Amino acid sequence: MVTRELAALVVAAVSRAAAAGELPQLPEPLPPFEVEPPRDARHGDYATNVALVLAKAAGLPPRRVGEAVHRHLPVPSADLARAELAGPGFLNLFLAPAFVHRWLRRAHEADRRFGTSDEGRGRRVLVEYVSANPTGPLHVGTGRGGAVGETIARLLEALGYDVSREYYVNDYGGQVETLARSVEARYLELAGCAAEFPADGYQGAYVGDIARRIADREGLSLARAGEAERLARVQEYALSMMLEDIRETLEAFGIRFDTWFSERTLHERSDVRRCLEALRERDLVYEEDGAAWFRSTRFGDDKDRVIVRRDGRPTYFAADVPYHLDKYERGFEHLIDVWGVDHVGDVARVRGAVGAFGHAPSSLEVVLHQHVRLKNEGEAVRMSKRSGEFVTLRDLLEAVGRDAARFFFIMASPSAPMDFDFALARRQSSENPVYYVQYAHARICSILREAARLGREVPPAAAADLGRLTAPEEWVLAKRVITLPEVVYAAAMRREPQRLCAYAREVAEAFHVFYGQCRVLSDDAALTGARLVLVDAVRRALRNTLDLAGVGAPERM
RNA sequence: GCGCCCGUAGCUCAGAGGAUAGAGCGGCUGCCUUCGAAGCAGCGGGUCGGGGGUUCGAAUCCCUCCGGGCGCGCCA
């Protein structure tokens, strides 16, 4: 990436300054310093705080350090046009055209791989996200977790990690039983039997739909079967129908999981029981009041938590521990869980438990995302799966489309709460920020189509005279485009998908400004060739960014 | 009460300790005989919740107060 190349130039300059006796011997490697684009373009294309960082170790004022480094920077050269020492000791770096041209050519050569790197090559990562209980359709809030998790997975793949996507299916325990009893009641109603709807049952219309579909397939004979058999059959049907609905919705949302991991199998394979024994051996579980308790206070929890109830049924947490151990056993060295904030309290417990089995706490990473507060014309919408009052992800997709939904969900930092006005989204769907970016892409494709029609194909990047790109709008655009690799790197490593949206918007803006000032197809063949190479690099950068965000890059719109 | 997260323009939100804090939407004014006006140019809009501290430098880090969200189940 650009910043890394510049940092290497700076490090080399520091070494030369030290060798020349202008700086004292400094620790190897140097303390971390930054190379980044300053806010104000007058402060260079990139600025580095290296002199400020080294001042302490060098025992010299920052500006003295800066002067020494400045003298040994290769300016002017094919990389840097010039450098300036400014303010408290910043070194402002101005890129040489040849440097930018080299990167534009790389964008062409790399094409779909432009922006990727191999930082994570050979490392296996498991990303678990969504994992919503299959007790109802996915609601809007789970869309955020889905978009965040999927984008993190794609970002890590772009860094070369071997990524596996997983959905943990809570197909065991009280909630699915409640779903089964709810469906059973609706089914019995269909059969004309007196049935009391469970007090804690799921009220949504989808419960009745499932009952009807069971009746369509099985008839009403289950009404005469024994209760245990009927419940078991109904639960099986309800689960598979719900999961099918969830799977379809996620596919429409651009998400496909590699594995759907069943919680029930952990119980059936005795993983839960064996894990409990192992925890007991480590003195992390004790008996009290007839229940078994996990010593979560060892891991910063404010109280110990029940792991096996008085009636002998294990709690959710009892399965969560062997589940995560199983992930490690399957060969993943790093685990990422994307959870809604309502699970904050679980983080320390699970991490502590897997730590007791020898796994580094840092190898289990939990990305928490805040909930989506849904509004309708400014009025808050209460959402509850139990009451059946909620807006589904499917509704959202039908209202605003996949692209707008995906972009919107990752535009904000996962840790920031998000307000979403459904009515507004429906109404202003054509004015969503995503269209600004997509429009830039479509406009470029339109230019390329026109070029092809005129028989003026994009020349090979190496053949074009990029020195003809001299307009300020061209320069700004080119420099923005070539930052994609560092944007992808930062977004992936910091688990901050919103950086993709910011980059896409900035590149689109630079392109729209360029478009207003510079005509691509002109009588000047050399200039036309250079501009075609530039816009085709922009096209690749935008497409790759939108791909990572799970948003389409339309050639026409 | 305790823990985590958030507080930035009218609204929704960006903002790697760095220089004069940004975008979209909404409001106002211009710009299409020329590669797509889903665009561009401009105007208006801010005690970065309040206060204190660290630092050469704080929207960013620390403390404190205020406001909001979530959690503190033998639910998942």
Side-chain angles (χ1 to χ4, degrees):
Chain A
M1 52 197 89
V2 171
T3 47
R4 204 161 282 182
E5 286 189 7
L6 296 177
L9 293 176
V10 170
V11 168
V14 169
S15 309
R16 282 194 295 275
E22 295 172 38
L23 288 178
Q25 279 309 313
L26 293 161
E28 288 284 339
L30 297 178
F33 62 92
E34 319 217 319
V35 178
E36 59 185 20
R39 234 199 302 269
D40 189 329
R42 286 173 304 182
H43 297 137
D45 298 317
Y46 287 83
T48 176
N49 62 353
V50 68
L52 290 90
V53 169
L54 294 183
K56 198 166 196 176
L60 293 168
R63 289 207 52 116
R64 288 278 304 282
V65 178
E67 285 161 12
V69 178
H70 190 195
R71 272 194 294 278
H72 291 274
L73 275 172
V75 283
S77 69
D79 293 318
L80 294 175
R82 62 195 168 92
E84 288 171 356
L85 184 61
F90 289 107
L91 276 166
N92 296 331
L93 309 175
F94 295 81
L95 300 182
F99 183 96
V100 175
H101 298 163
R102 190 165 74 238
W103 274 92
L104 284 178
R105 292 191 190 100
R106 281 186 196 164
H108 280 259
E109 285 159 23
D111 193 21
R112 289 205 173 265
R113 296 193 56 75
F114 178 55
T116 66
S117 58
D118 59 358
E119 311 283 333
R121 189 175 43 196
R123 309 252 294 279
R124 294 186 69 200
V125 180
L126 183 73
V127 186
E128 181 216 322
Y129 52 110
V130 186
S131 299
N133 282 350
T135 51
L138 295 177
H139 56 83
V140 167
T142 47
R144 186 172 193 184
V148 167
E150 176 62 25
T151 307
I152 287 174
R154 291 184 189 198
L155 281 166
L156 290 172
E157 280 173 339
L159 259 52
Y161 287 90
D162 182 359
V163 177
S164 197
R165 297 159 167 81
E166 184 154 297
Y167 187 119
Y168 182 53
V169 182
N170 302 125
D171 52 0
Y172 181 92
Q175 296 198 356
V176 279
E177 287 163 20
T178 300
L179 173 70
R181 283 186 289 106
S182 306
V183 174
E184 180 200 28
R186 297 294 182 225
Y187 178 86
L188 291 173
E189 284 169 16
L190 288 175
C193 303
E196 198 168 331
F197 195 79
D200 58 348
Y202 295 100
Q203 302 280 355
Y206 65 91
V207 175
D209 293 341
I210 293 172
R212 266 186 296 282
R213 288 173 59 199
I214 295 175
D216 288 346
R217 210 172 294 182
E218 286 275 326
L220 296 168
S221 58
L222 283 175
R224 294 184 298 274
E227 188 185 355
E229 189 203 336
R230 178 169 62 239
L231 263 176
R233 295 291 300 281
V234 165
Q235 176 167 323
E236 205 176 306
Y237 268 120
L239 252 180
S240 68
M241 286 175 182
M242 273 330 311
L243 282 172
E244 193 49 36
D245 175 69
I246 288 170
R247 194 192 315 258
E248 281 172 14
T249 304
L250 288 172
E251 291 228 353
F253 197 47
I255 296 175
R256 185 172 300 174
F257 286 96
D258 297 302
T259 43
W260 295 72
F261 193 98
S262 157
E263 177 184 359
R264 196 194 297 173
T265 60
L266 291 169
H267 295 273
E268 290 172 351
R269 297 190 314 207
S270 302
D271 285 27
V272 175
R273 186 179 50 74
R274 279 200 300 272
C275 180
L276 272 167
E277 285 162 15
L279 287 169
R280 278 200 180 89
E281 283 166 21
R282 287 164 173 75
D283 191 32
L284 286 169
V285 169
Y286 62 93
E287 312 296 324
E288 195 175 294
D289 297 335
W293 297 73
F294 176 68
R295 293 191 195 278
S296 50
T297 44
R298 292 254 181 100
F299 309 109
D301 210 341
D302 51 355
K303 51 180 152 178
D304 290 338
R305 307 286 162 168
V306 168
I307 192 164
V308 181
R309 300 177 180 91
R310 304 176 72 153
D311 63 8
R313 290 155 53 230
T315 61
Y316 171 82
F317 176 69
D320 231 359
V321 181
Y323 172 45
H324 283 85
L325 294 176
D326 183 81
K327 292 179 179 179
Y328 288 111
E329 279 161 22
R330 281 183 276 151
F332 296 101
E333 47 196 295
H334 193 81
L335 311 180
I336 298 179
D337 290 353
V338 180
W339 293 347
V341 264
D342 50 325
H343 288 90
V344 250
D346 300 343
V347 177
R349 286 196 276 286
V350 176
R351 186 175 283 147
V354 299
F357 289 91
H359 299 287
S362 60
S363 67
L364 169 58
E365 185 185 335
V366 180
V367 176
L368 294 175
H369 65 85
Q370 295 285 326
H371 286 160
V372 177
R373 207 164 38 166
L374 202 63
K375 296 194 167 176
N376 199 12
E377 301 289 7
E379 288 287 307
V381 179
R382 285 202 331 271
M383 295 221 286
S384 152
K385 207 177 263 185
R386 190 142 287 169
S387 71
E389 289 172 21
F390 56 89
V391 177
T392 67
L393 182 56
R394 207 177 272 263
D395 294 335
L396 179 74
L397 290 175
E398 281 167 16
V400 306
R402 187 192 89 171
D403 292 347
R406 286 285 294 262
F407 197 87
F408 183 85
F409 279 133
I410 61 165
M411 213 167 40
S413 160
S415 65
M418 195 163 73
D419 278 5
F420 190 94
D421 194 312
F422 191 69
L424 213 60
R426 191 189 278 276
R427 194 166 60 239
Q428 299 180 340
S429 61
S430 67
E431 291 166 28
N432 192 294
V434 70
Y435 294 100
Y436 183 77
V437 177
Q438 290 184 318
Y439 183 59
H441 183 267
R443 249 184 167 178
I444 293 170
C445 292
S446 173
I447 294 172
L448 296 178
R449 278 194 302 271
E450 180 67 7
R453 196 180 64 79
L454 298 172
R456 311 174 72 167
E457 306 287 345
V458 180
D465 178 9
L466 299 180
R468 294 297 305 279
L469 302 174
T470 54
E473 295 83 5
E474 294 168 323
W475 189 233
V476 168
L477 177 57
K479 284 187 300 189
R480 285 213 179 146
V481 166
I482 65 177
T483 62
L484 180 61
E486 64 213 46
V487 169
V488 171
Y489 180 78
M493 296 309 283
R494 301 168 67 91
R495 326 293 193 224
E496 293 182 355
Q498 72 272 16
R499 288 169 185 273
L500 289 174
C501 300
Y503 170 81
R505 215 207 57 77
E506 284 171 9
V507 171
E509 177 188 48
F511 170 75
H512 287 309
V513 172
F514 158 85
Y515 183 89
Q517 295 298 316
C518 305
R519 201 183 153 78
V520 175
L521 305 172
S522 70
D523 295 336
D524 184 334
L527 181 60
T528 297
R531 285 181 171 168
L532 281 171
V533 167
L534 173 61
V535 299
D536 207 21
V538 176
R539 178 182 65 81
R540 292 184 158 100
L542 285 178
R543 179 200 58 200
N544 293 359
T545 306
L546 290 171
D547 277 353
L548 285 168
V551 176
E555 296 183 9
R556 290 187 168 86
M557 47 193 295

